[in-house]
């Protein structure tokens, strides 16, 4: 059995690009993986947070809002990348 | 004024899914069928945007008996389907409403076409009573709404051109959020919001004017009105909250003296028109601070967990609220925040007026 699971690093890079797009700020795409998404530098809110979740579902097929009711995985880009990587649909090629 | 409503088909106009129902597709949703006919009588045009084969549009036209001025069936982005409908019909995007049961479709359209009024099916069920769907009745509120759409368009154009952070734009727009004890005169508008808001509403049912008025005068409760304005315009009351202070109740029974008191927010609501303007952050921060000032140790917000209130859950998460580990989708949960940790800071565009 093989999987098309991508390394967490590439998920992280894609998430950073998505975050830059939904916030409309390119500099957000170069924040560190440990920067808090809520408040402070990124300031994720209801609107930008929803857009981020929509893009994550489109791109990775992971419904974050249904799987993490408290949205704890939105703490940082690193926690979101780990959450998404663990749940990437696995292609079974038997 | 809305001139055209673009409808989703599956689980919106139809009481089920067209393709997954075998030989016999589901019938129309009875409540929305009434809305379709009523708006049609008023001269408002209907259109369809659906991820279905074109036969689905013919089927919907047949079972509803209502004409559709345009139908976009396919698997592309719904915002592109709406753009084609808007071009075909020669309308302004601000004259179009879009109704879809799917959060992702609504978010995609709202982001791509901010002038379009994006509604849940439940919102659309109320639409005939709204001034923007009532061309014959030109009320003062209806005229004001027209002006508010124009203000919103100017604000969005400037926000798109700005490029800085959201907070910087809110400051640049001279945003003012005023959080104050509600007056009795605010009760009708708060009741209206409790009926009309779905995406940003923690209660499972509307609260009547009579109930709001009686709780307004109760020592054990706080009723809060939230006003929003900026240099583009004044939106008036856009949100509210109803708080049970967890003190001696009105019948005079004292609380257990050893127990830590908590504030419980039994209703938290905001108009979706205020989305992205810093209102919920301000309201949640203000509620935490008032609860601390009142001696409460915890702020609790009961809320049904659904895919419809994801934006509300994002605001709760951002303000440090968490539900218990047992919380399940579709079930009531209580989002709580200990007040022994420092409450979130009040944004500088917010003002909190003291209670009586």
């Amino acid at each position: 059995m093989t999987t098309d699971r991508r390394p967490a690093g590439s998920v992280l890079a894609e998430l950073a690009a998505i975050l830059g797009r939904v916030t409309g700020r390119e500099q957000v795409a170069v924040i560190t993986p440990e920067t808090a998404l809520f408040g402070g530098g990124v300031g994720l809110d209801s609107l930008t947070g929803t857009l981020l979740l929509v893009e994550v579902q489109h791109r990775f097929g992971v419904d974050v809002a249904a799987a993490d009711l408290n949205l704890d995985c939105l703490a940082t880009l690193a926690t979101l990348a780990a959450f998404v990587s663990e749940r990437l649909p696995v292609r079974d090629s038997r | 004024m809305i001139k055209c409503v673009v409808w989703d088909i599956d689980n919106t106009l139809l009481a089920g899914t067209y393709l997954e129902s075998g030989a016999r597709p589901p019938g129309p949703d009875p409540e929305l069928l009434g809305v379709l006919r009523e708006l049609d009588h008023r001269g408002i045009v209907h259109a369809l945007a659906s991820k279905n084969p074109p036969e689905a549009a013919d089927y919907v036209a047949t079972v509803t008996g209502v004409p559709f001025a345009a139908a976009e069936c396919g698997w592309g982005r719904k915002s592109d389907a709406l753009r084609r409908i808007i071009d075909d019909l020669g309308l302004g995007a601000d004259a179009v409403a879009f109704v879809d049961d799917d959060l992702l479709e609504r978010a995609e359209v709202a982001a791509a076409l901010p002038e379009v009024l994006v509604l849940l099916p439940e919102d659309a069920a109320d639409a005939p009573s709204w001034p923007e769907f009532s061309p014959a009745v030109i009320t003062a509120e209806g005229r004001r709404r027209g002006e508010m759409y124009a203000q919103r368009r100017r604000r969005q154009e400037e926000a798109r051109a700005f490029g800085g952070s959201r907070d910087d734009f809110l400051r640049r727009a001279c945003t003012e959020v005023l959080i104050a004890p509600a007056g009795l005169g605010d009760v009708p508008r708060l009741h209206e919001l409790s009926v009309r808001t779905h995406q940003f509403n923690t209660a499972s049912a509307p609260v009547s004017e009579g109930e709001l008025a009686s709780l307004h005068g109760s020592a054990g409760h706080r009723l809060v009105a939230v006003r929003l304005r900026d240099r583009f315009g004044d939106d008036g009351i856009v949100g509210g909250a109803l708080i049970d202070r967890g003190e001696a109740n009105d019948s005079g029974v004292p609380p257990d003296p050893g127990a830590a008191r908590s504030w419980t927010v039994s209703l938290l609501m905001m108009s979706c028109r205020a989305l992205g303007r810093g209102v919920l952050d301000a309201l949640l921060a203000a509620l935490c601070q008032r609860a601390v000032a009142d001696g409460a140790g915890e702020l609790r917000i009961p809320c049904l967990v659904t895919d419809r209130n994801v934006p509300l859950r994002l605001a709760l998460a951002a303000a440090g609220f968490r539900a218990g580990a047992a919380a399940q989708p579709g079930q009531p949960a209580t989002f709580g925040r200990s007040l022994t940790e420092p409450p979130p800071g009040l944004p500088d565009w917010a003002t909190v007026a003291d209670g009586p």
Side-chain angles (χ1 to χ4, degrees):
Chain A
M1 193 176 100
T2 60
T3 73
D4 69 345
R5 197 168 276 199
R6 282 156 285 205
S10 84
V11 172
L12 191 69
E14 282 194 59
L15 288 173
I18 292 172
L19 192 63
R21 252 191 338 269
V22 302
T23 57
R25 289 187 293 148
E26 283 164 17
Q27 66 269 34
V28 165
V30 295
I31 59 165
T32 76
E34 278 74 39
T35 304
L37 299 186
F38 290 127
V42 179
L44 203 65
D45 69 354
S46 295
L47 180 60
T48 50
T50 304
L51 293 174
L52 173 65
L53 296 183
V54 167
E55 287 293 317
V56 166
Q57 181 156 24
H58 273 308
R59 178 65 192 83
F60 299 104
V62 178
D63 187 350
V64 171
D68 180 7
L69 300 186
N70 276 319
L71 303 171
D72 286 321
C73 66
L74 291 179
T76 66
L77 271 185
T79 59
L80 180 59
F83 189 90
V84 168
S85 300
E86 280 167 22
R87 285 164 183 78
L88 284 178
V90 175
R91 194 166 298 150
D92 187 343
S93 63
R94 270 175 301 181
Chain B
M1 192 60 61
I2 299 300
K3 294 176 181 161
C4 173
V5 184
V6 181
W7 300 86
D8 166 53
I9 291 181
D10 289 335
N11 296 310
T12 300
L13 276 186
L14 293 186
T17 307
Y18 177 76
L19 278 182
E20 287 169 14
S21 309
R24 205 161 152 225
D29 176 276
E31 195 171 17
L32 292 183
L33 180 58
V35 174
L36 273 177
R37 289 178 175 151
E38 174 58 32
L39 296 182
D40 183 52
H41 284 311
R42 296 181 189 182
I44 293 172
V45 163
H46 295 298
L48 295 168
S50 171
K51 291 186 171 163
N52 262 315
E55 304 87 81
D58 299 333
Y59 172 76
V60 169
T62 306
V63 292
T64 60
V66 170
F68 289 89
E72 288 283 339
C73 290
W75 277 265
R77 288 179 185 269
K78 288 232 172 158
S79 58
D80 292 336
L82 260 83
R83 279 200 186 92
R84 288 192 291 271
I85 292 169
I86 288 166
D87 285 349
D88 279 358
L89 301 180
L91 296 168
D94 57 352
V96 173
F98 170 64
V99 186
D100 201 308
D101 66 303
D102 188 301
L103 167 75
L104 306 184
E105 304 287 11
R106 290 198 307 275
E108 195 270 317
V109 169
L113 294 166
E115 299 88 353
V116 169
L117 181 63
V118 177
L119 301 174
L120 296 165
E122 299 95 293
D123 295 328
D126 296 334
S129 67
W130 298 9
E132 53 266 61
F133 290 89
S134 308
V137 193
I138 309 291
T139 60
E141 197 191 7
R143 276 194 292 271
R144 213 168 92 73
R145 269 177 216 270
E147 177 54 27
M148 275 163 56
Y149 288 132
Q151 291 161 1
R152 189 167 60 164
R153 200 161 50 241
R154 288 195 289 275
R155 181 183 300 114
Q156 280 160 348
E157 279 165 7
E158 206 168 309
R160 267 197 290 272
F162 179 59
S165 74
R166 182 202 71 158
D167 290 7
D168 287 342
F169 181 74
L170 291 176
R171 289 183 194 108
R172 186 187 158 102
C174 307
T175 302
E176 288 177 47
V177 177
L178 175 64
I179 297 157
L184 264 185
D186 299 335
V187 164
R189 171 62 178 154
L190 290 173
H191 167 67
E192 184 185 43
L193 279 174
S194 93
V195 174
R196 273 196 184 192
T197 57
H198 299 284
Q199 298 179 68
F200 293 96
N201 188 319
T202 58
S204 48
V207 185
S208 73
E209 273 197 56
E211 200 175 338
L212 286 172
S214 75
L215 291 170
H216 166 266
S218 149
H221 295 83
R222 293 269 187 273
L223 183 61
V224 171
V226 184
R227 290 175 165 79
L228 171 67
R229 67 178 179 195
D230 64 12
R231 66 182 161 79
F232 298 96
D234 187 342
D235 290 87
I237 296 179
V238 295
L242 180 58
I243 297 119
D244 181 335
R245 293 175 56 226
E247 271 228 316
N249 58 34
D250 289 347
S251 59
V253 181
D256 175 0
R261 203 156 55 85
S262 54
W263 267 29
T264 303
V265 180
S266 50
L267 170 65
L268 181 81
M269 57 186 181
M270 185 188 82
S271 161
C272 54
R273 294 195 175 94
L275 181 62
R277 294 177 60 195
V279 172
L280 271 181
D281 329 352
L283 178 57
L284 290 171
L287 290 177
C288 287
Q289 295 188 358
R290 298 299 297 170
V292 168
D294 195 42
E298 191 192 12
L299 185 61
R300 296 156 55 84
I301 306 183
C303 175
L304 198 67
V305 174
T306 71
D307 63 347
R308 293 190 170 173
N309 58 23
V310 169
L312 177 64
R313 280 198 274 142
L314 278 159
L316 288 171
F321 287 83
R322 292 293 181 271
Q328 291 293 320
Q331 299 294 317
T334 296
F335 289 81
R337 189 188 197 287
S338 164
L339 298 172
T340 51
E341 300 153 43
L346 194 66
D348 46 322
W349 52 83
T351 307
V352 183
D354 279 342

